[in-house]
Amino acid sequence: AQTVTQSQPEMSVQEAETVTLSCTYDTSESDYYLFWYKQPPSRQMILVIRQEAYKQQNATENRFSVNFQKAAKSFSLKISDSQLGDAAMYFCAYRRAETSGSRLTFGEGTQLTVNP
Amino acid sequence: EAGVTQFPSHSVIEKGQTVTLRCDPISGHDNLYWYRRVMGKEIKFLLHFVKESKQDESGMPNNRFLAERTGGTYSTLKVQPAELEDSGVYFCASSLWTSGGDGYTFGSGTRLTVV
């Protein structure tokens, strides 16, 4: 069974600075997807970024980027130029690479605080 | 496009009572999922519908939980009778049948408190 681990229950960062959230996973699959979701206080989860395991290039979405280390099964999220609106719970998630319909496996979440 | 809608947003019930949660997915999304997060723990999968059929219900904790998806549209999750350990946030998500590596669209969740 696949597992996802986020070892940082809480993190804080100063506004405009950079923070990295850690995520490791375990799987025997060779092809899969990895995601970072953000859940602001309003509670709707929003997809931040995704990575296909077969792609070596790290995904980037504006101020958000990942460091994907497939051999180490590590998938960290870097937030640059942190903004107050980045404060949220962040979840790392894994999904098998089927055509459709496979479940997401989540980590425990990291609560990010952004200090002004 | 309307998102995934869940209601109620909050529910407080007494142990032993029944509660029904509802999820309206995005129109045309064949896949519908229920997840649950118990306080401080990871979000766990409950079950997956493809249209009106249960594709995978291996995450349902016990037979006090009953999920249905009428006509492949909205879904309900009934807890009967509710126990204290059922408290948590219940999330619904939907996706297109053909979606590959895309994530899902989540609802805002229903916060269930059993007292």
Side-chain angles (χ1 to χ4, degrees):
Chain A
Q2 295 83 18
T3 59
V4 177
T5 302
Q6 293 176 249
S7 59
Q8 306 155 314
E10 298 177 344
M11 290 283 284
S12 63
V13 63
Q14 290 297 124
E15 195 175 3
E17 298 199 339
T18 296
V19 65
T20 298
L21 308 184
S22 301
C23 173
T24 58
Y25 60 95
D26 188 25
T27 183
S28 58
E29 305 283 334
S30 60
D31 198 14
Y32 47 87
Y33 299 98
L34 295 165
F35 306 89
W36 278 98
Y37 281 90
K38 167 186 176 181
Q39 188 183 22
S42 64
R43 296 189 292 129
Q44 182 171 23
M45 275 205 290
I46 303 164
L47 178 65
V48 174
I49 198 166
R50 72 180 179 111
Q51 174 80 43
E52 292 101 328
Y54 64 87
K55 289 187 176 179
Q56 292 186 333
Q57 185 173 6
N58 289 322
T60 298
E61 289 287 343
N62 300 313
R63 299 182 293 106
F64 298 87
S65 62
V66 298
N67 183 5
F68 173 49
Q69 302 290 326
K70 191 172 184 179
K73 294 181 181 174
S74 170
F75 182 62
S76 60
L77 174 70
K78 185 171 82 171
I79 306 174
S80 303
D81 185 25
S82 297
Q83 300 176 1
L84 295 178
D86 295 333
M89 180 70 80
Y90 286 81
F91 292 98
C92 178
Y94 165 101
R95 185 191 147 196
R96 292 172 59 189
E98 296 174 350
T99 302
S100 178
S102 58
R103 67 173 75 174
L104 290 167
T105 299
F106 288 90
E108 303 90 337
T110 297
Q111 182 68 51
L112 177 66
T113 301
V114 181
N115 300 309
Chain B
E1 172 181 79
V4 176
T5 305
Q6 291 186 249
F7 46 92
S9 56
H10 290 85
S11 180
V12 180
I13 63 172
E14 292 184 352
K15 176 182 173 180
Q17 289 186 323
T18 298
V19 63
T20 300
L21 314 181
R22 173 165 169 153
C23 170
D24 285 52
I26 291 174
S27 178
H29 279 195
D30 288 337
N31 291 304
L32 187 149
Y33 306 82
W34 284 97
Y35 290 85
R36 175 174 74 170
R37 184 174 191 229
V38 173
M39 185 61 68
K41 298 192 176 181
E42 73 270 26
I43 299 169
K44 286 193 172 181
F45 167 82
L46 295 178
L47 87 158
H48 168 212
F49 284 99
V50 176
K51 297 185 180 179
E52 68 274 9
S53 300
K54 292 176 185 174
Q55 183 80 4
D56 180 357
E57 52 183 330
S58 61
M60 295 287 264
N62 51 60
N63 59 10
R64 295 185 294 103
F65 289 75
L66 175 63
E68 295 179 325
R69 189 178 182 191
T70 305
T73 56
Y74 70 91
S75 175
T76 57
L77 180 64
K78 182 192 292 188
V79 185
Q80 178 183 31
E83 297 289 345
L84 298 178
E85 62 265 25
D86 300 332
S87 296
V89 181
Y90 290 76
F91 293 100
C92 175
S94 71
S95 71
L96 289 168
W97 172 248
T98 56
S99 61
D102 291 339
Y104 308 122
T105 303
F106 281 85
S108 296
T110 294
R111 183 175 296 277
L112 174 64
T113 303
V114 182
V115 297

